Amino acid sequence: MDAQSRGRADEIDPADQWVLNPHTGNYELRLDHSAEERNPSGETRSTSGSGSRSATRSPSRAEARAEASGRRGDAQASGRREVPGQRRRSPQGGRGQEPAPAAGRRKRKQQKDRRKKALLWTGGVMAVVLVAGSAGAYALYQHFNGNISTVDIGNAGNKNVTSSGPMNILIIGTDKRTGAGNEGYGDAGSAGHADTNILFHVSGDRTNATALSIPRDLMTDIPDCETQQEDGTTEVIAGTAGTRFNNSLGQEGRDPGCTMRTVKELTGLSVDHFMMVDFNAVKELSTAVGGVTVCMAKPVDDPKSHLKLPQGESKVEGEQALALLRTRHSFGNESDLDRIKVQQQFLGSMIRQMKSDDTLTSPSKLFKLADAATNALTVDSGIGSVAKLTSLAKELAKVDTKNITFVTLPVIDNPDEPTPVTVVPHPTQAKQLFAMMREDTSLTEVAAEKKAAKKKQKSALEGTKAAAGDVRVDVFNGGDVSGAAGATVSWLQIDKGVLKSTNKANAPAKIDKTTLEYAPNQADQARALAEMMGLPASALKQGTTDAAETEAMKLTLGADFEGAGTPIAAPTTVPKEIKKATADKAVCAE
């Protein structure tokens, strides 16, 4: 890969093994069980297997460095760590007493369970990119740190690893032909397009997540993009209107930050981070996990992708896994949209597989997987280390896989093409889906959350409502629609009778979501205006002190505002026309 900051480190010897410490729940680099150890006096002794009750003292930093110089016996001895609950030699060579079982033993088990859940989640969800955190969850070693490639995307993302609210992570699979054997796929000199794109939205309460696939052939607008150059300077790449989404990366020097900005332009959702992989990553990672189980509704024999699979279940890895994710001519109507479905099914299968097999409890498999994953991964500098990826993984681990929903952006054929090749967003369904994601509404049947969303929206409008003639509001434009404040005031006065509305032109800064600020004694006015405009409950911002009689409320139109009279509130359920699938259910590709 040609990322900007590929590192190197030699601190970890792959010959060392990873062993689960049952007392702490941590994986540790540990010796071969037959290796010799040195006691504090310099004598050597042999360990006799996992049942040994003795362990050496923890080495100092100086000793650790000396031991790492190449003397395998010494290095192995220094790799041992003291384990709570085991006997150890005292500095004088005597034996310490084995502590009685601590009262907090159950607490340790709970911590272990949480770590295991985080590891499973990290190794499974969006498997080919988030698995890097699984290594970090147990050993933050520079070996894996040095594997990760980073790109400086300037102000396109979030400098903080996580946030207390919703998070949006853009997963990008490029068609760049890096890696042995990939030149034969054509377009060998390409800088890589945004070929596979999944916007992974994690809810603020971490109860659910939505994986939104964005078709590469979607016609959209790419905004101006500020990119960071290798010499430290910045260059603004002019935007392009009405072009394929996949041109948002690699073309004309665009970096992943440009793709992130394009997603925001399209959906109204700010993207916090990106994770990117290429063809080679698919091959390496599918092999590292021992193959991924997939299901075909009928036999597949595609001469173009060279994919051959029998009907029913089979395992794919390496070249065959890549062929499955690339093929278009074996499923549905042979379009990119049907290929997206197969990609979603592949990821869902990997999630289920890694939860059920021993990949994440086998030291050798875990090392191989973590090494392959971090080598395959390119991320923004905000999460460009194993420690940062681990912090992110712990947040993502809170989401139950049954509440991870895969959905594809609703589209229609491009009406501007006599013979449609590209697509455009569905005029109503896409807006509804974007609104639900902006409002952090779950696409899965999370009963408690669904009920709470409806209750919140209902309660926001409950109570007395002021007459239209008594509503006072100043309207500011903080969105992207030119003249929105003036148009809204005209609509309010002429269509709704809100004569005490005033156009305050542009807001001091642009905002993503429309807000209505009001005082407690203006609640009846706020409810009336919210009902007229179709504002969501989250738009209502009540202050703490009452306002003067002639003081107006403050309405600031955000990027979610589409036009006067167009409701902003998101639906509470997914439109039935939108097809979705959850990560916990197997589906056979058709």
Side-chain angles (χ1 to χ4, degrees):
M1 298 176 67
D2 64 340
Q4 297 177 11
S5 57
R6 168 76 70 202
R8 283 287 183 268
D10 300 311
E11 281 78 5
I12 299 297
D13 185 345
D16 286 331
Q17 291 188 346
W18 298 55
V19 178
L20 177 66
N21 183 332
H23 297 279
T24 64
N26 286 331
Y27 270 84
E28 301 167 353
L29 283 177
R30 197 67 68 79
L31 316 177
D32 184 284
H33 293 306
S34 64
E36 287 188 332
E37 294 181 340
R38 289 185 181 275
N39 65 20
S41 64
E43 298 175 345
T44 62
R45 54 189 174 85
S46 176
T47 58
S48 57
S50 59
S52 174
R53 303 292 297 170
S54 59
T56 60
R57 62 182 174 83
S58 299
S60 67
R61 291 184 180 178
E63 288 172 325
R65 286 194 295 268
E67 301 292 89
S69 65
R71 293 175 294 168
R72 171 52 55 193
D74 289 356
Q76 290 174 336
S78 68
R80 292 295 298 267
R81 296 171 57 187
E82 293 187 0
V83 178
Q86 287 187 335
R87 292 174 181 167
R88 59 185 176 85
R89 287 191 180 274
S90 67
Q92 289 75 31
R95 291 188 181 275
Q97 296 298 316
E98 181 175 354
R105 180 66 54 87
R106 180 172 295 180
K107 183 175 181 181
R108 282 196 201 104
K109 185 177 185 300
Q110 291 171 345
Q111 290 174 339
K112 176 182 173 182
D113 289 343
R114 286 195 296 268
R115 292 188 185 102
K116 184 176 180 181
K117 181 180 178 183
L119 184 62
L120 290 171
W121 209 107
T122 309
V125 175
M126 316 317 298
V128 297
V129 289
L130 295 186
V131 72
S134 63
Y138 289 103
L140 306 180
Y141 282 98
Q142 190 60 34
H143 174 80
F144 298 118
N145 243 3
N147 283 351
I148 302 170
S149 300
T150 62
V151 174
D152 184 354
I153 54 174
N155 62 359
N158 187 349
K159 298 302 181 184
N160 297 321
V161 177
T162 61
S163 63
S164 57
M167 291 191 300
N168 296 298
I169 303 167
L170 181 62
I171 314 301
I172 305 173
T174 76
D175 57 356
K176 188 169 184 177
R177 273 64 172 170
T178 51
N182 294 327
E183 302 85 354
Y185 294 123
D187 200 17
S190 171
H193 303 77
D195 199 50
T196 299
N197 309 278
I198 300 175
L199 178 61
F200 197 71
H201 172 83
V202 186
S203 68
D205 61 7
R206 308 300 187 250
T207 63
N208 62 91
T210 299
L212 173 69
S213 292
I214 302 174
R216 65 174 192 174
D217 294 327
L218 179 78
M219 297 300 286
T220 190
D221 296 335
I222 299 175
D224 293 347
C225 176
E226 184 179 279
T227 60
Q228 307 295 310
Q229 305 301 304
E230 291 186 3
D231 62 2
T233 61
T234 61
E235 179 181 344
V236 176
I237 300 173
T240 305
T243 188
R244 280 181 168 89
F245 183 92
N246 68 347
N247 288 329
S248 64
L249 176 69
Q251 311 311 299
E252 301 180 23
R254 294 187 175 107
D255 64 15
C258 299
T259 309
M260 294 167 69
R261 290 182 172 93
T262 303
V263 169
K264 182 177 180 180
E265 182 89 359
L266 174 66
T267 66
L269 290 158
S270 295
V271 182
D272 297 293
H273 303 290
F274 83 87
M275 297 180 177
M276 183 168 66
V277 292
D278 58 16
F279 280 3
N280 212 47
V282 174
K283 296 195 292 187
E284 290 180 357
L285 287 165
S286 60
T287 301
V289 299
V292 178
T293 301
V294 295
C295 180
M296 301 294 111
K298 60 183 179 180
V300 174
D301 187 355
D302 182 3
K304 293 190 176 182
S305 66
H306 307 293
L307 177 67
K308 292 184 178 181
L309 291 174
Q311 182 177 358
E313 289 191 350
S314 55
K315 272 197 172 185
V316 295
E317 63 179 85
E319 291 286 350
Q320 199 174 31
L322 180 59
L324 174 66
L325 298 184
R326 293 187 66 246
T327 187
R328 285 185 298 171
H329 302 286
S330 301
F331 309 108
N333 60 6
E334 304 185 11
S335 71
D336 185 52
L337 299 178
D338 288 292
R339 175 164 58 181
I340 287 174
K341 294 177 185 177
V342 175
Q343 292 168 349
Q344 292 173 346
Q345 291 161 8
F346 179 89
L347 290 172
S349 178
M350 185 174 277
I351 292 172
R352 293 188 301 276
Q353 177 179 324
M354 297 185 74
K355 287 192 67 175
S356 62
D357 68 13
D358 66 344
T359 299
L360 299 176
T361 57
S362 165
S364 59
K365 286 185 179 180
L366 182 58
F367 186 96
K368 183 178 180 181
L369 181 60
D371 203 37
T374 49
N375 264 308
L377 192 64
T378 300
V379 300
D380 60 280
S381 53
I383 52 173
S385 71
V386 171
K388 291 178 179 179
L389 284 170
T390 300
S391 296
L392 180 61
K394 288 178 179 178
E395 282 296 298
L396 301 180
K398 299 174 184 177
V399 182
D400 193 317
T401 52
K402 70 179 181 181
N403 294 328
I404 301 170
T405 306
F406 290 102
V407 65
T408 303
L409 171 63
V411 296
I412 60 173
D413 289 338
N414 188 351
D416 294 333
E417 295 176 340
T419 302
V421 175
T422 61
V423 294
V424 297
H426 191 285
T428 57
Q429 294 173 18
K431 291 179 180 179
Q432 290 174 313
L433 183 57
F434 295 156
M436 289 185 72
M437 295 177 69
R438 288 195 299 265
E439 288 303 307
D440 206 20
T441 303
S442 175
L443 270 62
T444 57
E445 296 300 322
V446 184
E449 191 210 42
K450 183 177 177 182
K451 183 177 179 181
K454 289 183 177 180
K455 183 177 179 181
K456 184 178 180 181
Q457 183 65 32
K458 182 178 179 182
S459 62
L461 300 177
E462 284 181 345
T464 59
K465 299 178 180 65
D470 294 330
V471 174
R472 292 178 180 270
V473 61
D474 291 338
V475 183
F476 296 80
N477 185 8
D480 301 319
V481 180
S482 179
T488 299
V489 168
S490 296
W491 176 78
L492 285 172
Q493 292 181 350
I494 297 171
D495 291 17
K496 296 297 180 180
V498 184
L499 301 180
K500 298 174 183 176
S501 54
T502 306
N503 176 11
K504 293 293 185 178
N506 291 333
K510 289 195 172 186
I511 60 174
D512 291 336
K513 296 182 178 181
T514 297
T515 60
L516 176 61
E517 300 171 58
Y518 62 97
N521 62 337
Q522 296 173 323
D524 59 342
Q525 297 182 48
R527 286 190 287 268
L529 188 62
E531 185 177 58
M532 295 177 201
M533 297 191 63
L535 298 180
S538 59
L540 306 184
K541 310 294 182 184
Q542 181 175 296
T544 56
T545 57
D546 285 346
E549 184 178 351
T550 58
E551 187 175 344
M553 298 183 295
K554 181 180 179 181
L555 174 67
T556 306
L557 306 174
D560 57 352
F561 177 81
E562 297 180 359
T566 301
I568 297 174
T572 56
T573 57
V574 184
K576 62 181 180 180
E577 298 86 358
I578 297 179
K579 305 299 182 183
K580 59 187 179 114
T582 52
D584 63 326
K585 296 179 181 178
V587 179
C588 291
E590 298 179 353

